[in-house]
Amino acid sequence: MAGPLQFKGLDASAPRYYQRCEIGIRVGSLPQIPLCSGIVRRRFWLVSLPAPLEVRDHQWIQATDEVVHERLQAELLRLRAAATSMEALGCSHTSEVRTSFLEATKVFHPNRFARRPEAIRLLANEVFLALKKSYDRAKGEAAALALEETRTKIANEKQERLERRRNASSRPPVNPADRQQQKDRRRSQLRDRLGTASGTQRIAQVRAATDRKISDSGSADLQEAEFEKAMKIMQSGNFAAAASAFKAVAVSRPSEKRYRLHMHYAQGRLLQSSGKLDEARAEYKRCLGLDASFVLAHESMASLPKEGKKKGSLMSKLFGK
Amino acid sequence: MENKIIGIDLGTTNSCVAVLEGSEAVVIHNHEGGRTTPSMVSWNAEGEVVVGAPSKRQMVTNPERTVYGVKRLIGKRFDSQAIEELRPTLPYSVVRSKNGDAWVRINGNEMSPEEVSSHILRKMKEIAEDYLGEQVEEAIVTVPAYFDEVQRKATKDAGAIAGLRVRAILNEPTAAALAYGAHHGQDQRLAVFDLGGGTFDVSILVIESGVFEVLSSHGDTELGGDDFDRKIIELLCEEFAKNNQLNLHEDPVALQRLKEAAERAKIELSSTISTDMNLPFLAASPAGPVHLQRELRRDELESMCAPLLDALAAPCERALRDARMSASDIDQVLLVGGMSRMPAVQSRVVEIFGREPSKGVNPDEIVAQGAATQSAIMGGELQEVVLLDVTPHSLGIRVTGDRMSILLNANTTVPTRAQKTFATTEDNQTFVTLEVYQGDHEKVTNNCYLGRFTLGDLPPRPKGKTRVEVDFTVDVDGLLAVSATEHDSGKAASVTIEPAGGLSDREIRELSHR
């Protein structure tokens, strides 16, 4: 059933799939297969393809040299024309990659053709090399897919954990007077501890102490959750709400650059949407000052009319007058 | 009906030939009735060649013209450290050939190790022909897995000189695994521990639905039963010198007798606790003939061979590491090679892999059986089985600063291919010369030089403008082929390979017609 390949010319609707045939195919020291000489391009359509892997019968292995040669050549073409490595191996799921490769190996391994003439041996070598390349690629793709799945899983778990913690952290309200008292006590404690330190040292120590306190109470994660929430608001397009949400997070934890970055960005978008372009630009510039590789700010900057243009318009106004 | 392909285990000390009968790999008896044949070639005074057991029998009286352990010389440079260490221990003379290879000199004739090996292969061929009653022209020859490209090529050439078309160069541990797995077909992970007469190999394989995939291979081509024999000889010589003030090293006949006795004692000590060594009239002193009589105990042997036994662990660990496995992942350990019968070796294997090795395979014959089984894969009798082997050494080329640029890493499944693009470094350069090395070290000087090739017919252009894409293809036998194309025109550049050593095609043809 896997007869010689036939080609029909001049069909512009040939699927993209087989267009890779136009890449030159040269097998070891064999003469070039005419299809691929570089003159024939694009519009050629493979009419009869070799049967897919699972229905391949292996009897041809015992056949005459001509049949074997043809069969191997067809397989080589099929492997090289396949759009994806999964297709080359004839499998539909990543779990089949290994079995498909092993099954194909049993048929196409060069050892199977060791008693054949040199040309066939070389061709078999090429077929196996192509097969192995597809396998390695498919393996890589499968691994990347698995990694992606694990990542999503971890992210989901993290989200769940955060939500659980947020629910748990809604504590009973505290009397404002008590809170004030508590604050004073902490301040005096700090003062006692830092009494002898110099100015810069003191600032550093206070920062360290605050950071410790934040991480001790677990509020860092709380802020992270707030930040995520703000991001969601931002995505929904409500810039005003997002800006105030980001601001709240950024104020509660000024040491985190990321919070400030997004605060400025949200502010900028808010200003831009209300037509205050210069102020918006200033906000974006602040973003870039914090992180020069922040793509969103770059994009938004680009969407603003050029600064020079405004000057021009002023000039034209002047001249107009 | 095509003629049969025979499987030959070309060993350092013994060789074995097997053939497929029905679905069974059958080991063929030699003319003397032995299932293995000593890998010895000798020339008598008339220049006639004697191979196998008859050669071994006359070895004592004809030491200078008896070549044993030629596998340790094949594909080696005369200047290499291994040959320098080996040379003083051999009764026959090893000389430098014109191209720098290690050759042997017999009766004043210089001879390549390929030619010596070809006599053994021809003998194996005759044994098979007598048994089968038909002409044998094709063979599968096994080599240690850690054999490099040059040694493989040389072994293949030896086959060609013997009038055999070598259909495959098969790795010994892989062959053993194939012979074993053909009868124990379930999926499993296998470690093959192959300690032969001259070489040590360890391979980690996984058998999965009929495909035998080698994951890693490591070894030592300078460690084997010969080294154990030599330890015994050294001990006896030392004692003899102390007791009788006679240096046996100067007496080739005495040395040869000692070697024979040492080998026999070593083999006996695998089954007994102590053995008697009895060599009457070993040497002559002014006071009359001196005899050697001594008891050798197993613990004595084990303590003096401790450094050799210690050297077994590192390659195993390396192979496991390369296969990304730990010893507990291994389902079965297969012992191959005569030396694996030594109890101390077996206990080391238990230490390394944490399990009892598999009994019930014949370590002397399983490799040849594996080679015959492989012939069934080639002939199509065995459809559902195939071997996927690896290349044991990294291959690369020399780049500026004598550094090694690796193209193909060790333990890559063969056949395999790697590409690299080279640019010209001078204006109007019409050829590029590349030096190929093998080994893992980042300095090429510490690696093994394989040869160089020149890419010619390049169009003259300013420097850096001509780019050549070079293909390195390693075939199923682990042999390297180089092809090159000029990047822009797609025109094939001519490739001239100048190997560091070995025989040319013409030399092989001449020798095979002799």
Side-chain angles (χ1 to χ4, degrees), chain A residues 109-116 118 121-122 124-125 128-129, chain B residues 5 138-157 159-160 164-172 174-175 217 371 374-375 377-378 387-393 395 408 412-417 438 450 473-481:
Chain A
H109 194 275
N111 273 346
R112 284 239 177 272
F113 308 94
R115 297 183 90 170
R116 301 280 179 178
E118 174 101 25
R121 293 210 304 271
L122 284 172
N125 220 33
F128 182 76
L129 285 172
Chain B
I5 309 179
E138 294 166 284
I140 294 168
V141 182
T142 64
V143 294
Y146 212 53
F147 249 29
D148 62 29
E149 214 262 344
V150 187
Q151 291 167 308
R152 282 164 201 271
K153 170 82 169 49
T155 306
K156 203 168 182 173
D157 291 345
L164 285 166
R165 276 200 295 279
V166 179
R167 288 305 190 195
I169 293 286
L170 191 61
N171 289 333
E172 284 158 12
T174 318
S217 227
Q374 174 76 348
S375 80
I377 295 176
M378 290 180 177
L387 286 181
L388 281 179
D389 219 319
V390 296
T391 156
H393 302 277
L395 285 173
L408 283 164
T412 310
T413 303
V414 289
T416 184
R417 169 172 296 162
Q438 139 189 302
L450 289 185
T473 309
V474 174
D475 70 4
V476 264
D477 295 339
L479 301 178
L480 176 71

Side-chain angles (χ1 to χ4, degrees), chain A residues 190 193 201-216:
Chain A
L190 259 178
R193 233 186 302 156
Q201 271 177 332
R202 196 177 300 164
I203 292 168
Q205 279 171 345
V206 173
R207 278 200 187 137
T210 341
D211 282 352
R212 212 178 306 133
K213 202 175 72 202
I214 289 169
S215 58
D216 285 349

Side-chain angles (χ1 to χ4, degrees), chain B residues 287-486:
Chain B
V290 189
H291 317 298
L292 187 145
Q293 201 161 16
R294 186 188 197 282
E295 189 198 23
L296 189 68
R297 290 190 318 277
R298 189 189 280 180
D299 57 318
E300 268 182 292
L301 174 71
E302 287 175 5
S303 67
M304 71 181 150
C305 294
L308 299 175
L309 294 167
D310 289 341
L312 297 173
C316 296
E317 281 154 14
R318 176 77 195 270
L320 280 171
R321 201 167 61 233
D322 288 349
R324 295 196 182 85
M325 278 194 190
S326 68
S328 56
D329 293 327
I330 301 295
D331 297 319
Q332 192 65 263
V333 182
L334 207 60
L335 291 184
V336 184
M339 271 313 293
S340 68
R341 287 206 178 85
M342 187 172 167
V345 170
Q346 292 186 0
S347 66
R348 290 297 172 118
V349 171
V350 175
E351 260 173 51
I352 296 164
F353 292 102
R355 62 166 60 243
E356 283 293 325
S358 160
K359 299 268 159 67
V361 296
N362 185 332
D364 297 322
E365 296 173 2
I366 190 161
V367 171
Q369 285 174 329
T373 311
Q374 174 76 348
S375 80
I377 295 176
M378 290 180 177
E381 291 98 331
L382 206 55
Q383 289 263 345
E384 285 304 302
V385 176
V386 81
L387 286 181
L388 281 179
D389 219 319
V390 296
T391 156
H393 302 277
S394 298
L395 285 173
I397 49 139
R398 188 169 75 106
V399 292
T400 43
D402 275 354
R403 292 163 66 83
M404 175 97 169
S405 162
I406 290 180
L407 274 126
L408 283 164
N409 276 311
N411 294 318
T412 310
T413 303
V414 289
T416 184
R417 169 172 296 162
Q419 271 128 350
K420 195 152 186 126
T421 307
F422 295 95
T424 49
T425 51
E426 277 165 43
D427 289 341
N428 297 329
Q429 197 176 344
T430 52
F431 63 90
V432 179
T433 299
L434 300 164
E435 288 178 11
V436 186
Y437 284 82
Q438 139 189 302
D440 287 314
H441 205 277
E442 58 179 30
K443 282 272 181 198
V444 287
T445 40
N446 295 337
N447 292 329
C448 169
Y449 173 64
L450 289 185
R452 61 180 190 177
F453 60 92
T454 308
L455 310 173
D457 302 341
L458 304 179
R461 282 200 210 135
K463 66 179 174 189
K465 290 282 181 232
T466 306
R467 283 179 303 156
V468 189
E469 192 174 82
V470 179
D471 267 11
F472 286 73
T473 309
V474 174
D475 70 4
V476 264
D477 295 339
L479 301 178
L480 176 71
V482 180
S483 67
T485 39
E486 210 258 290

Side-chain angles (χ1 to χ4, degrees), chain A residues 100-262:
Chain A
S100 300
F101 171 67
L102 292 181
E103 285 309 311
T105 299
K106 279 191 231 170
V107 183
F108 293 106
H109 194 275
N111 273 346
R112 284 239 177 272
F113 308 94
R115 297 183 90 170
R116 301 280 179 178
E118 174 101 25
I120 290 184
R121 293 210 304 271
L122 284 172
L123 192 55
N125 220 33
E126 291 303 315
V127 171
F128 182 76
L129 285 172
L131 191 66
K132 177 132 179 308
K133 207 166 162 187
S134 302
Y135 172 59
D136 287 339
R137 211 174 278 160
K139 232 174 22 179
E141 281 164 17
L145 208 69
L147 189 69
E148 192 57 38
E149 272 170 21
T150 329
R151 271 200 191 134
T152 338
K153 210 172 119 198
I154 290 173
N156 288 343
E157 274 171 13
K158 195 175 169 191
Q159 190 64 32
E160 270 174 35
R161 223 173 27 239
L162 280 174
E163 241 150 72
R164 268 205 305 278
R165 203 171 287 173
R166 202 183 306 149
N167 294 339
S169 68
S170 45
R171 292 183 197 130
V174 190
N175 186 356
D178 285 357
R179 195 180 279 167
Q180 190 56 43
Q181 235 179 347
Q182 227 174 9
K183 245 185 203 167
D184 288 344
R185 203 169 49 234
R186 267 191 217 139
R187 254 185 218 149
S188 66
Q189 275 174 357
L190 259 178
R191 222 173 290 137
D192 289 347
R193 233 186 302 156
L194 306 174
T196 53
S198 74
T200 44
Q201 271 177 332
R202 196 177 300 164
I203 292 168
Q205 279 171 345
V206 173
R207 278 200 187 137
T210 341
D211 282 352
R212 212 178 306 133
K213 202 175 72 202
I214 289 169
S215 58
D216 285 349
S217 64
S219 65
D221 280 337
L222 203 69
Q223 278 150 358
E224 190 64 27
E226 289 297 324
F227 175 70
E228 299 274 329
K229 216 179 348 180
M231 287 292 267
K232 287 233 171 72
I233 301 171
M234 185 78 189
Q235 275 157 18
S236 72
N238 186 351
F239 299 129
S244 58
F246 278 126
K247 196 171 180 185
V249 194
V251 166
S252 69
R253 198 176 171 198
S255 62
E256 179 62 65
K257 202 169 79 175
R258 207 155 40 100
Y259 298 168
R260 274 184 286 149
L261 185 71
H262 282 274

Side-chain angles (χ1 to χ4, degrees), chain B residues 77-78 96-103 499-504 507:
Chain B
R77 308 290 291 168
F78 182 78
R96 181 203 296 271
S97 77
K98 263 179 262 159
N99 57 15
D101 285 348
W103 283 25
L503 301 176
S504 69
E507 285 171 308

Side-chain angles (χ1 to χ4, degrees), chain B residues 489-507:
Chain B
S489 64
K491 198 180 130 231
S494 74
V495 181
T496 324
I497 302 173
E498 294 169 53
L503 301 176
S504 69
D505 288 349
R506 198 171 56 88
E507 285 171 308

Side-chain angles (χ1 to χ4, degrees), chain B residues 265-299:
Chain B
K266 178 191 74 182
I267 291 169
E268 257 174 47
L269 285 178
S270 291
S271 51
T272 61
I273 296 296
S274 83
T275 182
D276 282 321
M277 300 189 79
N278 206 344
L279 292 165
F281 304 100
L282 188 62
S285 76
V290 189
H291 317 298
L292 187 145
Q293 201 161 16
R294 186 188 197 282
E295 189 198 23
L296 189 68
R297 290 190 318 277
R298 189 189 280 180
D299 57 318

